[in-house]
Amino acid sequence: MSQRPRHAPDPARRRETSRRAILTAAFELAGEVGYSGLSIEGIAARAGVGKQTIYRWWPSKGAVLLDALMLALQGEAPQENAAPQDDAALPDTGDLRADLKTVLRATVAELNDPRFDGPLRALAVEMLNDPLLAARYAEHIEKPMRRMKTARLHSAQRAGELPQDADLGLAVELLWGTLRAAWLERHRPLTPAYADLIVDTVLDGLRAGARR
Amino acid sequence: MSQRPRHAPDPARRRETSRRAILTAAFELAGEVGYSGLSIEGIAARAGVGKQTIYRWWPSKGAVLLDALMLALQGEAPQENAAPQDDAALPDTGDLRADLKTVLRATVAELNDPRFDGPLRALAVEMLNDPLLAARYAEHIEKPMRRMKTARLHSAQRAGELPQDADLGLAVELLWGTLRAAWLERHRPLTPAYADLIVDTVLDGLRAGARR
Amino acid sequence: MSQRPRHAPDPARRRETSRRAILTAAFELAGEVGYSGLSIEGIAARAGVGKQTIYRWWPSKGAVLLDALMLALQGEAPQENAAPQDDAALPDTGDLRADLKTVLRATVAELNDPRFDGPLRALAVEMLNDPLLAARYAEHIEKPMRRMKTARLHSAQRAGELPQDADLGLAVELLWGTLRAAWLERHRPLTPAYADLIVDTVLDGLRAGARR
Amino acid sequence: MSQRPRHAPDPARRRETSRRAILTAAFELAGEVGYSGLSIEGIAARAGVGKQTIYRWWPSKGAVLLDALMLALQGEAPQENAAPQDDAALPDTGDLRADLKTVLRATVAELNDPRFDGPLRALAVEMLNDPLLAARYAEHIEKPMRRMKTARLHSAQRAGELPQDADLGLAVELLWGTLRAAWLERHRPLTPAYADLIVDTVLDGLRAGARR
DNA sequence: GGTTAATCGAGACGGTACGTCACGTCTTGTT
DNA sequence: AACAAGACGTGACGTACCGTCTCGATTAACC
């Protein structure tokens, strides 16, 4: 069931310093040279590490990048057995509209952070080519985040702020997905006002006479 | 005397058969081997063409792909001086909701077409790495399409189906962008029902008590 | 207090089973994969031994091979303090020509033995690249053999079968060296007749009218 | 019959400057770093050439080395259709003994030339591992040389200086082979006196009473 | 209709990165 | 302390494509 690849390396013998050096180098290089300029060879050189040490522990360039981002974002790479921040939750003041604006504005700020732009784009591109990487990302980042988001919407549903039959998954896609697409495809500058606009429009809809 | 600069090929002498062979090969290969397996050498070999013939007429692999897709979709690559289907328009029966569902269902059908999935994905990836290509795409495909979409929404606005102050650009992003993201990132199977759901949710919003 | 320098292993604690396994593996692998395919990693893996155990006791791949051959040939690897077969001698029937043919035919048989061909070639190649190994080989194999050969020739000299001023060293090179070169460079099939021919030609010379 | 490997490159398009640069670099590096330090990568770097350009035209490192030596020795690499110096011949003054000494002394001088020692050794080692290379060497160098040598001995045979039934091939091996072995395995310093000694001993034999 | 110049196919070239292999050193338990 | 195991930094391997650059051999426009 939990079948390992041939000659699986022993994680207990793994050298932590090399792991950190690799992830740091990958993160920095992704920011400096972008996705298309990122290479395993470059990461190994910058990290002062043999290429084999990368190939030993990661199945692909994208997997390195994912761990690098998780290290940079959360201060730690995903642990197989450790649930990542189960206690984290979105703010819940009782006012869904205000809370969503707060959160989407924070997302805007994060996506505008020049340190994360390069690595995040590189990871996004990698995931389009690599379903396994996308699955890993979904497992470790997408799913927990989506759970938090859905939880907040569900709370609003219970409070009567959202209809009982609302499709909360689609709501997440409309709110955050639209923001993410605007960032990824650069067709809009990301501003707090844009975040607010998304929230208002998604909550109120486009129907004539809708009041905000 | 009026000597052409060294690297300005003469379009009049261009060999049409080679052009078609290249675009066809690019389209087919993108479908067969995906983005990461697509190479200029592969296209040239499959097309029975010298590499230089590609480099002479296209600035990048992505540009070839774009033309290949336009040839496949519209039966013709973009002409610099020809306005692309100015007369095309979205259906306008007076019922915005129904018209949008019709159009989004058609989009679902197109994105589900296995012939287009590979090339479209490949182009999407290329555009993330190549702003010039993205600009070219925007110019020749995105903008005309967006104009059509916005025109339909504007018509609805005039008919009182949408509020005067609605942000039609955002509306387009919510409607089609969400669908495109679901396709590109594969987090939902694309079905007509999903298209309908998007239309309803975006038109009506998420507020409690929203009428559908 | 009387602390041993860090890298001076204690021969008393050496594990004999590992030593044998290493030498056996080296000998077999040299026969199977040839010189260019022979690797320390391969030897260690086949012997079920850590690489360090090889590096601890032998200075180079060639040194392992040398010991492996001595184990296979003489049943024992060279001991630093043990004189190697001092009592061994070439046959001395009083007929130099006959005795030399006997010995060279035996050499032919040994070189034709498929079990030894691979390892011997591998060792020969190693020695060309590694003067220290060549010296070690000379010390433990070449010199004792040469002493035996020279002794037999010297005996013939005393018996009047060879002139007093004959260069016995050169004689050894002409007799055995020519045979060895024919084997190593494969420019002749090694047959007993060839051995006889060498003996006759070297003893009699090429001059016209030479008696055989 | 004359089947080429898949996708055989077109010799007409070959760049002569690159060929020379590669052969020169290989020759120099073989002298500087020896066989074990010689690498395709090193040759390519020193020659300012892509590795593929080497792999395109030569099947192995040894083949490069062979051509490099032929360029250095004869001023030209082997041409498929050109017979290499058919007119060349060993001196023939009518005195075999003197002529052989002249030639072997010249060989001594060549083998002692520090420029050739490294490359020649490297080639010798390569040939032991690579029968195809050895065959190529035999074809282009060994055979022509051997023909010249045999011709001189045959001439002596006709002149009555050698017996009619002498094995001229073995004679060549005894004369030059012994010299070459002494050089390759370094068991003797190569001096003109040693050359003379070989000639005298091989011509006269070791028999008691042989007069010179 | 013959001339001529640009495009064409083909592919060699100097490079960069790939993913693998073995090197010799080192580190971590086990015997 | 030697051992089996194997991770590590290093560097060469042989391959795939990159984008540039020659080569004749077609073309196709212009004389």
Side-chain angles (χ1 to χ4, degrees):
Chain A
M1 197 163 274
S2 69
Q3 200 173 342
R4 290 219 200 155
R6 285 190 310 147
H7 299 309
D10 179 355
R13 314 215 126 196
R14 186 166 189 178
R15 196 161 299 175
E16 179 62 14
T17 59
S18 295
R19 194 184 135 266
R20 303 295 277 237
I22 289 165
L23 296 182
T24 303
F27 182 76
E28 291 172 2
L29 279 174
E32 293 171 20
V33 301
Y35 164 70
S36 50
L38 194 61
S39 70
I40 297 259
E41 211 139 63
I43 295 170
R46 154 98 59 137
V49 137
K51 279 196 289 178
Q52 201 64 16
T53 301
I54 298 181
Y55 285 110
R56 183 154 32 229
W57 298 109
W58 288 275
S60 68
K61 190 167 59 178
V64 179
L65 205 46
L66 175 55
D67 282 5
L69 266 163
M70 300 186 74
L71 176 61
L73 285 168
Q74 316 174 4
E76 194 42 68
Q79 303 300 322
E80 300 305 329
N81 42 2
Q85 286 117 313
D86 277 336
D87 48 349
L90 259 40
D92 189 347
T93 64
D95 180 347
L96 176 63
R97 187 177 304 257
D99 287 349
L100 286 178
K101 287 183 180 176
T102 301
V103 173
L104 257 71
R105 280 161 171 257
T107 304
V108 162
E110 189 177 290
L111 291 176
N112 274 333
D113 186 330
R115 293 182 306 132
F116 291 125
D117 187 82
L120 280 173
R121 297 197 107 79
L123 181 60
V125 172
E126 281 287 354
M127 284 195 296
L128 294 184
N129 290 317
D130 183 348
L132 267 71
L133 176 62
R136 202 172 135 86
Y137 173 83
E139 187 63 32
H140 289 290
I141 300 196
E142 166 79 10
K143 258 196 211 160
M145 298 285 282
R146 181 174 277 257
R147 212 174 301 132
M148 283 164 50
K149 296 166 185 170
T150 313
R152 179 63 188 84
L153 295 177
H154 196 60
S155 156
Q157 222 171 16
R158 280 193 307 268
E161 285 190 296
L162 290 179
Q164 293 306 315
D165 62 346
D167 185 318
L168 301 189
L170 177 60
V172 169
E173 287 154 32
L174 288 172
L175 290 164
W176 281 273
T178 301
L179 194 56
R180 180 183 145 89
W183 163 74
L184 188 57
E185 298 169 28
R186 305 175 210 257
H187 38 61
R188 286 249 199 180
L190 292 196
T191 62
Y194 184 55
D196 291 353
L197 181 61
I198 291 175
V199 172
D200 284 330
T201 307
V202 171
L203 286 184
D204 300 333
L206 293 167
R207 289 175 317 147
R211 282 291 139 281
R212 302 192 176 153
Chain B
M1 199 164 274
S2 71
Q3 204 172 341
R4 202 182 287 275
R6 270 209 307 143
H7 289 301
D10 179 355
R13 311 199 67 137
R14 185 168 187 178
R15 202 163 296 176
E16 180 61 14
T17 59
S18 296
R19 193 184 136 266
R20 304 293 278 237
I22 289 165
L23 297 181
T24 304
F27 182 77
E28 291 172 2
L29 279 174
E32 293 172 20
V33 301
Y35 166 69
S36 51
L38 194 61
S39 70
I40 297 258
E41 300 226 309
I43 295 170
R46 153 97 59 138
V49 136
K51 283 197 289 177
Q52 198 60 259
T53 302
I54 299 181
Y55 285 109
R56 188 163 17 238
W57 299 110
W58 288 274
S60 69
K61 187 168 64 179
V64 178
L65 203 48
L66 176 54
D67 283 5
L69 265 163
M70 299 186 76
L71 175 61
L73 285 168
Q74 315 175 4
E76 194 43 67
Q79 303 301 322
E80 300 306 328
N81 42 4
Q85 286 115 310
D86 276 336
D87 50 349
L90 259 41
D92 190 346
T93 64
D95 181 346
L96 176 64
R97 189 178 304 256
D99 288 350
L100 285 178
K101 287 183 181 177
T102 301
V103 173
L104 256 70
R105 279 161 173 259
T107 305
V108 162
E110 189 177 291
L111 291 176
N112 274 333
D113 185 330
R115 292 182 307 130
F116 292 125
D117 187 84
L120 279 173
R121 295 198 110 79
L123 182 61
V125 172
E126 280 287 352
M127 285 196 296
L128 295 184
N129 290 317
D130 183 349
L132 268 70
L133 175 62
R136 204 173 133 86
Y137 173 82
E139 186 64 33
H140 289 289
I141 300 196
E142 165 78 9
K143 258 195 212 159
M145 298 285 282
R146 183 174 277 258
R147 214 174 301 133
M148 283 164 50
K149 296 165 186 170
T150 312
R152 179 63 188 84
L153 294 178
H154 196 60
S155 155
Q157 219 171 19
R158 280 194 306 268
E161 285 190 295
L162 290 179
Q164 295 306 315
D165 61 348
D167 185 318
L168 301 188
L170 177 60
V172 169
E173 287 155 31
L174 287 173
L175 290 164
W176 280 273
T178 300
L179 194 56
R180 178 182 146 89
W183 163 73
L184 189 57
E185 298 169 28
R186 306 173 208 257
H187 38 62
R188 285 250 200 180
L190 292 194
T191 62
Y194 184 55
D196 292 354
L197 182 61
I198 291 176
V199 172
D200 284 330
T201 307
V202 170
L203 286 185
D204 300 333
L206 293 167
R207 289 176 316 152
R211 279 292 87 67
R212 302 214 166 151
Chain C
M1 202 163 272
S2 69
Q3 204 172 340
R4 199 183 288 277
R6 270 210 306 145
H7 290 300
D10 178 357
R13 314 204 71 166
R14 185 167 189 178
R15 200 162 299 175
E16 180 61 14
T17 58
S18 296
R19 193 184 137 267
R20 304 293 276 237
I22 288 165
L23 297 181
T24 304
F27 182 77
E28 292 173 0
L29 278 174
E32 293 171 19
V33 301
Y35 165 70
S36 50
L38 194 61
S39 70
I40 298 258
E41 300 227 310
I43 295 170
R46 154 97 60 140
V49 136
K51 282 196 291 177
Q52 198 59 256
T53 303
I54 298 181
Y55 285 109
R56 183 159 27 233
W57 298 110
W58 288 275
S60 68
K61 186 167 61 179
V64 179
L65 203 47
L66 176 54
D67 282 6
L69 264 163
M70 300 187 74
L71 175 60
L73 284 168
Q74 315 175 6
E76 194 42 68
Q79 303 302 321
E80 300 305 328
N81 42 3
Q85 285 115 311
D86 277 336
D87 49 349
L90 259 39
D92 189 347
T93 65
D95 181 346
L96 177 63
R97 188 177 304 256
D99 288 348
L100 286 178
K101 288 182 179 176
T102 301
V103 173
L104 258 68
R105 280 161 172 260
T107 304
V108 162
E110 189 176 292
L111 292 176
N112 274 334
D113 185 330
R115 292 182 307 131
F116 291 125
D117 186 84
L120 279 172
R121 296 197 110 79
L123 182 61
V125 172
E126 280 287 352
M127 284 195 296
L128 295 184
N129 290 315
D130 183 350
L132 268 70
L133 175 62
R136 202 172 134 88
Y137 174 82
E139 186 64 32
H140 289 289
I141 300 194
E142 165 79 8
K143 258 196 211 158
M145 299 285 282
R146 182 173 278 257
R147 212 174 301 132
M148 283 164 49
K149 296 166 185 169
T150 313
R152 179 62 189 87
L153 295 178
H154 196 59
S155 156
Q157 219 171 19
R158 281 194 306 268
E161 285 190 296
L162 289 179
Q164 295 306 314
D165 62 348
D167 185 318
L168 302 188
L170 178 59
V172 170
E173 287 155 30
L174 287 172
L175 290 164
W176 282 273
T178 300
L179 194 56
R180 178 182 146 89
W183 163 74
L184 190 56
E185 297 169 28
R186 307 174 208 257
H187 38 61
R188 285 249 200 183
L190 293 195
T191 62
Y194 183 55
D196 291 355
L197 182 60
I198 291 175
V199 171
D200 285 330
T201 308
V202 170
L203 285 185
D204 300 333
L206 293 167
R207 288 177 317 155
R211 282 290 87 65
R212 305 217 163 145
Chain D
M1 197 163 273
S2 68
Q3 199 172 343
R4 288 217 204 157
R6 285 189 309 147
H7 299 307
D10 179 356
R13 312 213 133 207
R14 186 167 189 177
R15 195 163 301 177
E16 180 62 15
T17 59
S18 296
R19 193 184 136 267
R20 304 293 278 237
I22 289 165
L23 296 181
T24 303
F27 181 77
E28 291 173 1
L29 278 174
E32 294 171 19
V33 301
Y35 164 70
S36 49
L38 193 61
S39 70
I40 298 258
E41 211 138 63
I43 295 170
R46 155 99 58 141
V49 137
K51 280 196 287 178
Q52 202 62 29
T53 300
I54 298 181
Y55 286 110
R56 180 152 38 228
W57 299 110
W58 288 275
S60 68
K61 189 167 61 178
V64 179
L65 205 46
L66 175 55
D67 282 5
L69 265 163
M70 300 188 75
L71 176 60
L73 285 169
Q74 315 175 6
E76 195 43 67
Q79 303 301 322
E80 300 306 327
N81 43 1
Q85 286 115 313
D86 277 336
D87 49 349
L90 259 39
D92 189 347
T93 65
D95 180 347
L96 177 63
R97 186 177 306 257
D99 288 349
L100 286 178
K101 287 183 179 175
T102 300
V103 173
L104 257 70
R105 281 160 172 258
T107 304
V108 162
E110 189 177 291
L111 291 176
N112 274 334
D113 185 330
R115 292 182 308 132
F116 291 125
D117 186 82
L120 280 172
R121 296 197 110 80
L123 181 60
V125 172
E126 281 287 353
M127 284 195 295
L128 295 184
N129 290 316
D130 183 349
L132 268 70
L133 176 62
R136 201 173 135 86
Y137 173 82
E139 186 63 32
H140 289 288
I141 300 194
E142 166 78 9
K143 258 196 211 159
M145 299 286 281
R146 181 173 277 257
R147 212 174 302 132
M148 282 165 48
K149 296 165 185 171
T150 312
R152 179 63 189 87
L153 295 178
H154 196 59
S155 156
Q157 221 171 17
R158 281 194 305 268
E161 286 190 296
L162 289 179
Q164 294 306 315
D165 62 347
D167 185 320
L168 302 188
L170 177 60
V172 169
E173 287 156 31
L174 287 172
L175 290 164
W176 281 273
T178 301
L179 194 55
R180 178 181 146 90
W183 163 74
L184 189 57
E185 298 168 28
R186 306 174 208 258
H187 41 62
R188 287 250 200 180
L190 292 194
T191 62
Y194 183 57
D196 291 354
L197 182 60
I198 291 175
V199 171
D200 284 330
T201 308
V202 170
L203 285 184
D204 300 332
L206 293 167
R207 289 175 317 148
R211 279 293 139 278
R212 305 196 172 154

